[in-house]
Amino acid sequence: MIPLSILENTRIPHSFYLLYENTYLQIELCMKMRTQYIALVLFVCILASCSQESVETIDIIKAENSKEVEQELLNVVNDHRISLGQNALEFSSIAYEYANAHSDYMVAKGTINHDNFSKRASDISSQVDAELVAENVAKDYVTASEAFEGWLNSSSHKNTMEGEFTHTAVSAKKDADGNLYFTQIFFR
């Protein structure tokens, strides 16, 4: 067995080929490898391979749905799509379940977000065999028309509303102060 101190000072030759003016040149490098550098590289690789969306644990209480606002927003989005010559979106009870859960989550956090979207999208895809899932979220609009106009004035939200989707669901939930939180999920 070779003592570690000898390995730390060992120069290990490395070579690679470089194409230069249609000629391969062999270039040999001598690199001093140290245990600490190897450990650092391994640590970074392991850290990068274990990254994932954070799943924050918070107390979520089911907030009150505003059914009239939900239906109005669904109608406004479909009317807009039809005016562009696109299909009207069909209501999906599965998308509604996930939209409601996300609106409750946003109410509990007190802010709009797309936290854990990839998990929602994956779950919806596996249940309905969807090939594409998207969502729009909003907060602090009093009416469905205001939320729609806010999304329409944002290119990314507009693209989602006008995208090639077949199904949707809208959740509009009120927090304790009566503020509305919106989640609309789209899929095809």
Side-chain angles (χ1 to χ4, degrees):
M1 184 171 203
I2 302 172
L4 185 58
S5 61
I6 293 173
L7 284 177
E8 287 181 356
N9 294 319
T10 303
R11 296 175 71 82
I12 301 173
H14 292 275
S15 63
F16 66 95
Y17 292 92
L18 175 68
L19 181 62
Y20 177 71
E21 295 184 1
N22 295 326
T23 306
Y24 283 101
L25 303 174
Q26 184 177 10
I27 299 174
E28 200 165 284
L29 301 174
C30 289
M31 299 176 64
K32 206 179 219 187
M33 297 182 71
R34 295 182 173 258
T35 305
Q36 62 193 26
Y37 295 128
I38 294 170
L40 179 62
V41 169
L42 287 173
F43 175 75
V44 170
C45 289
I46 290 169
L47 184 65
S49 70
C50 294
S51 66
Q52 58 179 311
E53 284 186 323
S54 66
V55 179
E56 189 176 334
T57 305
I58 59 172
D59 291 330
I60 298 176
I61 299 170
K62 289 191 176 192
E64 176 189 350
N65 281 78
S66 181
K67 298 279 189 184
E68 289 177 18
V69 173
E70 291 171 350
Q71 189 59 52
E72 183 184 344
L73 186 52
L74 181 59
N75 291 341
V76 170
V77 169
N78 273 336
D79 289 346
H80 175 71
R81 290 176 60 85
I82 291 168
S83 75
L84 299 173
Q86 295 176 315
N87 62 303
L89 301 170
E90 291 182 41
F91 174 80
S92 166
S93 59
I94 291 171
Y96 188 62
E97 173 188 335
Y98 285 94
N100 274 320
H102 187 61
S103 290
D104 284 332
Y105 174 82
M106 293 190 302
V107 168
K109 287 196 78 167
T111 184
I112 61 170
N113 59 66
H114 292 283
D115 291 357
N116 310 310
F117 173 72
S118 61
K119 173 141 177 42
R120 265 190 309 290
S122 177
D123 290 347
I124 291 168
S125 293
S126 68
Q127 289 183 37
V128 297
D129 198 29
E131 61 184 59
L132 181 64
V133 178
E135 75 180 6
N136 282 344
V137 296
K139 176 186 174 205
D140 294 336
Y141 293 108
V142 178
T143 67
S145 295
E146 288 178 5
F148 171 77
E149 288 298 324
W151 286 339
L152 197 59
N153 291 325
S154 161
S155 61
S156 62
H157 293 96
K158 180 181 178 183
N159 289 340
T160 299
M161 286 190 301
E162 297 174 356
E164 293 184 30
F165 296 103
T166 57
H167 293 80
T168 193
V170 177
S171 170
K173 297 259 191 170
K174 290 184 181 179
D175 66 10
D177 297 326
N179 300 312
L180 287 169
Y181 289 74
F182 299 87
T183 302
Q184 183 166 16
I185 295 180
F186 304 80
F187 70 84
R188 69 164 183 245

